[in-house]
Amino acid sequence: MFDFSIVTTWFDSLLRHTLGLSNFWTILIECVLVGLLILIAYAVLAIILIFMERKVCAAFQCRLGPMRVGPWGIFQVFADVLKMLIKEIFAVDKADKLLYTIAPVLVITASVGTFAFLPWNKGAGILDFNVGLFLMTAISSIGVVGVFLAGWSSNNKYSVISAMRGAVQMISYEMSLGLCLIAAVVLTGTMQISGIVEAQSGAFGWLVMKGHIPAIIAFLVFLITGNAEANRGPFDLAEAESELTAGYHTEYSGMGFGFFYLAEYLNLFIVAGIASTVFLGGWMPLYIGVEAFDQVMDYIPGIVWFLGKTFALIWVLMWIRWTFPRLRIDQILKLEWKYLMPLSLLNLVLMTIIVAFGWYFK
C-alpha cells in the first residue's frame, strides 16, 4: 500500500532545504496548496455527483437524462454552472441583508470544512486530529445555523417554516448519527480518523465485519441519519416543492443559491465518505488472511478503495431517494425520536458490552 506521506515529506524537504525557505513561508505555501486542492476536489466531485444524480434518477424513471449538451450530456452540468455564475444576485425587500449574505457562506464553509477531514489515502489525510470525529461533527453542525439564517433573513414566511423544519430535522438526526460514531469509537478505541482506519487492518478487519451485529446496526442507522442530515429524500421536507416551493433558499439567486446546491451534493459525498471510512475501512483494502490475495489487494491504490466504497454508498443513497416517497414532518421526527434514537442507545450499550468482554472479531 502506497504511503502518500512520502510525497508530502519530499515536498516539505524541497521547500525547507532545497529552496531554503523559512518555516513561515514553507507552512504558508503548503497551506495554500492544500486549500486549493480541497476546493478543486470539492468542485470536481460536485460536477460528477450532479451528473450522476441526473442519470440515476433518469434510469429509475425509465428516462435518458441529460443527452444534448456534449456526448451523453456530460457538458450539461458545465452549462448549468455557467448560467448560475452569470445570473444576477439580489436580495428581496426588507430582508436582513447581513444575515441573508452570511447564510450561504456558513453552509458552504461547514461543508468544505467537513470535507477536509476525509482520508483519501494512507498518509493523505488533510485534517487528522486526535479528536477528529468530534471536531468533524462540530464543524458540520455550523450548516444548521446557515440553514436557519437563510430562512429567517429572507422575509418569506414559507422560507421561515422550511428553515425551522430543516433545523429541527438536522439537530434531531445528529443525535443518532453521533451515537453511531461513538459506537465505532468504542470498538476502535480512538477518535482519530487515521487511527480508526488503521484499526480496520487485518483479515476481515472492516468494522461491519469486526464488530458484527452492533457494527452493522450502527452502519445502517448512520446511513439513514446521514441521509436525513443532508436533507436528502425521503427526508427532504425542508425543500418540499409542493408546500414550500424551494424551501429555505427560495429567495436566493445566482451563486447564493449555488452554494446551497453545492453543499447538498457534497454533503451526500461526505456522509458516504464518513460511512466508508468508519465502517468499511476507508482506504484500507479487503484482506481475507490469504497472503497471495492480500498482496494483490495491496496493489490497488488506497484512493481507489476509498472512492469505490464511497460512490457505491452514494448510489445506494440515490436509489433510496428515488424509491421512497417524501415523509411528513411528524413521521420524520417520530422515526428519529421513537425508533432510531432508542435503537442507537441500545446498540451503543451492546457495543460496549461486546468490547468489554472481547466478543468482537480480532
Side-chain angles (χ1 to χ4, degrees), residues 100 129 211 256 276 303 322 337:
Y100 181 88
F129 301 97
S276 66
I303 191 171
W322 298 108
W337 292 106

Side-chain angles (χ1 to χ4, degrees), residues 53 227 231-234 236 239 241 264-265 316-326:
E53 175 90 278
N227 207 24
N231 284 326
R232 300 272 304 173
D236 58 340
E239 302 174 18
E241 294 88 352
E264 176 183 333
Y265 279 98
V316 171
L317 293 176
M318 287 182 177
W319 183 3
I320 292 172
R321 174 177 184 177
W322 298 108
T323 301
F324 294 99
R326 178 181 289 129

Side-chain angles (χ1 to χ4, degrees), residues 147 158-159 161-163 165-167 169 231 235-241 244-249 326 332:
V147 167
Y158 295 105
S159 295
I161 295 173
S162 173
R165 283 182 176 183
Q169 175 181 317
N231 284 326
F235 303 99
D236 58 340
L237 196 62
E239 302 174 18
E241 294 88 352
L244 304 170
T245 60
Y248 52 83
H249 51 61
R326 178 181 289 129
I332 290 176

Side-chain angles (χ1 to χ4, degrees), residues 247-259:
Y248 52 83
H249 51 61
T250 297
E251 302 296 348
Y252 284 86
S253 62
M255 283 309 297
F257 167 76
F259 281 172

Side-chain angles (χ1 to χ4, degrees), residues 132-181:
L133 278 184
F134 174 78
L135 188 57
M136 180 175 61
T137 53
I139 291 176
S140 67
S141 299
I142 298 174
V144 181
V145 181
V147 167
F148 187 78
L149 289 182
W152 182 265
S153 64
S154 293
N155 191 30
N156 182 318
K157 294 179 181 179
Y158 295 105
S159 295
V160 173
I161 295 173
S162 173
M164 295 180 69
R165 283 182 176 183
V168 71
Q169 175 181 317
M170 295 169 74
I171 293 171
S172 298
Y173 278 86
E174 277 181 359
M175 303 295 291
S176 294
L177 187 145
L179 289 172
C180 293
L181 294 179

Side-chain angles (χ1 to χ4, degrees), residues 112-145:
V112 173
T114 311
F115 180 76
F117 280 89
L118 297 178
W120 299 89
N121 196 80
K122 184 177 182 180
I126 299 169
L127 298 178
D128 188 28
F129 301 97
N130 59 345
V131 288
L133 278 184
F134 174 78
L135 188 57
M136 180 175 61
T137 53
I139 291 176
S140 67
S141 299
I142 298 174
V144 181
V145 181

